Amino acid sequence: MAVIFGAGYEASNLIQHEDELGIEYFIDNNKDKIGEDFFGYNIKEPQYILNKEYDLVILSSVKYADEMREQLLGMGVDKKKIINIKELKFFENKEEYTESASPLMDIKIRNHRDYDELHFPDCLNEMEKIFSKMVIRSARKRISYPGKCQVCKKNVGLLIDNQYSGDWLKVNLRERLVCPICNLNNRQRVMIRLVLDEIPTDSNIYVTEQVTPVYQCLKKYYSNLIGSEYMGGGGIIGGTINKRGIRHEDLLKLSFQTEEMDCIVSNDVLEHVADVEQALSEIYRVLKKEGIFYATFPMNFDLKATVKRAEMTEEGSIKHLLKPVYHGNPVSEDGSLVFYDYGMDIMELVKKAGFSDAYFIPFYSVPYGNIGVKSLFIFKARK
């Protein structure tokens, strides 16, 4: 029997292991979460575990793991029963799969016409609707999809649920189909595979995240990899590393030297920068000649002009132009504010920054569990 300490982003990755762990309930210090439902489990206050039986208390936060451990020890919890989420290993004996067709299409989308020419059989749309119905009707509101993780190279059960959907009647396939071994979701698995296939392992790579499965996976292959998180304002200098080993970088003012990186990887970060033109200019500056920029971000191909949702004032405050929208943030429970809804004019901004070529790569593969009709794209730009 396991108790999970923390009910946030990292805790959600444990849901796919619930049967093996024997999850009983979640505990959390956030009073606003106590009593709420989390993937069908009730969230309790930490003191609830006193005089209760359990085999493990799993710390599901990398950022606050030390504080959580001290809190539990102070409550009298046996130190032998406390384990960090990073110490867990699952599915090591899963059968390795045989390579099949690549999930990446040999198509480059540079304009709206290219996008309109994409064709998907109607049966794929119907299949995805069925997945939504299966999730909704399941007792725990989640199902396991038998697929092939192209990063782990094993046959696995990919988790599908309605997290991040914004609508309990639908599933967000772009953000789910999570591998139980590497914890990478649909788009992340393809991004990692693309980088591994195209970028030599001795390259200098900067990835705009550090406390995520994406960073942990790339670090296994690239010794010259640097990751970071945006730790907020307050005059923190770029390149500063805090006591937990997390580096701070601001895409609007990177601390790297000009032409220092062979490759930059950004997963769903560009929509959260306050000035996309400045961010693209900084990425261009830091890349070496012929350097590659890979990115994913929510993209509306039917939107001709990008919509600016918020902006920073000269005084350093945020001015909301539309109703605020926030996405999940692995280092902040407050989430990350969305500044832009991107349309096709993003290509003009990329060219303005100086990139010689840029396009979107669509991908779709039923065997690999990369499903999501007209919603799965990786952006690639070359200096």
Side-chain angles (χ1 to χ4, degrees):
M1 297 185 295
V3 177
I4 312 301
F5 194 169
Y9 170 79
E10 292 169 87
S12 67
N13 289 330
L14 291 175
I15 293 299
Q16 57 200 305
H17 309 298
E18 58 190 332
D19 292 332
E20 299 138 279
L21 294 173
I23 296 176
E24 291 291 311
Y25 51 86
F26 290 75
I27 59 175
D28 200 282
N29 284 319
N30 188 335
K31 294 181 179 179
D32 293 333
K33 291 183 178 181
I34 295 172
E36 296 295 318
D37 178 85
F38 187 74
F39 290 94
Y41 294 92
N42 192 253
I43 302 175
K44 311 286 187 182
E45 60 181 356
Q47 288 73 19
Y48 182 84
I49 68 174
L50 299 177
N51 302 317
K52 300 291 183 180
E53 292 187 3
Y54 52 86
D55 298 315
L56 288 175
V57 180
I58 302 173
L59 310 179
S60 66
S61 172
V62 174
K63 183 179 180 181
Y64 298 108
D66 292 338
E67 289 90 337
M68 295 162 73
R69 186 183 297 274
E70 290 301 316
Q71 179 181 349
L72 292 173
L73 292 174
M75 293 167 52
V77 176
D78 185 348
K79 65 179 181 180
K80 295 180 181 179
K81 291 188 175 184
I82 304 174
I83 186 172
N84 193 304
I85 188 173
K86 294 195 295 184
E87 300 175 59
L88 296 173
K89 292 185 179 180
F90 296 98
F91 300 98
E92 294 298 331
N93 60 345
K94 281 291 182 180
E95 176 187 359
E96 293 195 7
Y97 70 76
T98 302
E99 289 281 355
S100 56
S102 170
L104 294 176
M105 292 180 167
D106 188 22
I107 296 175
K108 298 177 181 179
I109 296 178
R110 293 185 170 90
N111 51 53
H112 193 271
R113 183 180 63 183
D114 292 340
Y115 175 77
D116 285 340
E117 290 177 354
L118 282 178
H119 174 71
F120 292 86
D122 292 339
C123 62
L124 295 181
N125 275 306
E126 293 302 314
M127 179 183 71
E128 294 175 11
K129 290 179 182 178
I130 291 173
F131 287 145
S132 291
K133 292 179 180 179
M134 291 174 67
V135 170
I136 294 166
R137 294 174 182 176
S138 66
R140 292 179 171 176
K141 299 297 183 287
R142 49 188 171 274
I143 60 174
S144 180
Y145 177 96
K148 304 176 178 182
C149 176
Q150 59 268 60
V151 176
C152 299
K153 294 188 177 296
K154 294 181 183 294
N155 294 314
V156 295
L158 302 169
L159 173 68
I160 304 180
D161 55 35
N162 59 3
Q163 191 175 5
Y164 310 126
S165 67
D167 183 349
W168 72 276
L169 293 175
K170 298 179 181 179
V171 293
N172 187 342
L173 295 171
R174 179 178 182 270
E175 299 301 313
R176 305 312 289 153
L177 286 147
V178 180
C179 172
I181 301 176
C182 61
N183 281 328
L184 298 171
N185 67 23
N186 192 346
R187 60 180 171 81
Q188 292 170 336
R189 288 185 286 114
V190 175
M191 173 67 84
I192 294 290
R193 190 69 261 162
L194 182 60
V195 173
L196 290 176
D197 288 345
E198 296 188 350
I199 305 299
T201 55
D202 61 349
S203 302
N204 293 330
I205 298 183
Y206 168 55
V207 54
T208 60
E209 53 195 295
Q210 190 178 351
V211 299
T212 66
V214 169
Y215 173 81
Q216 297 299 330
C217 181
L218 286 174
K219 192 63 177 176
K220 296 176 183 178
Y221 300 94
Y222 296 94
S223 58
N224 298 328
L225 178 78
I226 295 177
S228 73
E229 298 289 345
Y230 177 69
M231 309 301 286
I236 304 176
I237 299 174
T240 299
I241 299 176
N242 66 17
K243 62 181 180 180
R244 296 187 180 89
I246 301 174
R247 179 184 181 121
H248 166 75
E249 289 289 349
D250 183 348
L251 268 181
L252 303 185
K253 191 177 182 181
L254 294 171
S255 68
F256 305 114
Q257 298 296 316
T258 298
E259 297 190 353
E260 182 175 347
M261 296 295 170
D262 297 291
C263 175
I264 293 179
V265 180
S266 171
N267 290 286
D268 280 28
V269 171
L270 277 185
E271 69 269 31
H272 301 298
V273 300
D275 186 338
V276 64
E277 292 188 56
Q278 178 63 23
L280 290 171
S281 294
E282 273 294 273
I283 291 168
Y284 181 85
R285 177 186 68 81
V286 170
L287 281 172
K288 296 178 181 179
K289 185 178 181 181
E290 300 295 321
I292 301 295
F293 172 48
Y294 297 106
T296 61
F297 47 86
M299 175 68 186
N300 186 342
F301 287 91
D302 292 324
L303 195 63
K304 292 183 179 180
T306 293
V307 175
K308 196 171 187 178
R309 305 188 62 89
E311 62 184 15
M312 298 295 295
T313 66
E314 293 182 0
E315 294 75 24
S317 61
I318 297 175
K319 179 181 178 181
H320 295 285
L321 307 177
L322 295 172
K323 182 179 179 181
V325 173
Y326 293 86
H327 293 167
N329 184 337
V331 296
S332 173
E333 293 185 352
D334 296 330
S336 295
L337 177 67
V338 176
F339 281 86
Y340 295 95
D341 293 334
Y342 288 113
M344 280 306 301
D345 59 337
I346 184 66
M347 305 301 285
E348 298 173 13
L349 298 180
V350 173
K351 292 178 181 178
K352 182 179 178 181
F355 287 92
S356 63
D357 192 16
Y359 48 85
F360 289 90
I361 303 171
F363 59 93
Y364 196 104
S365 172
V366 172
Y368 288 100
N370 299 127
I371 54 179
V373 171
K374 281 200 168 185
S375 66
L376 303 177
F377 302 88
I378 290 179
F379 179 78
K380 179 179 179 180
R382 183 182 297 276
K383 185 171 179 177

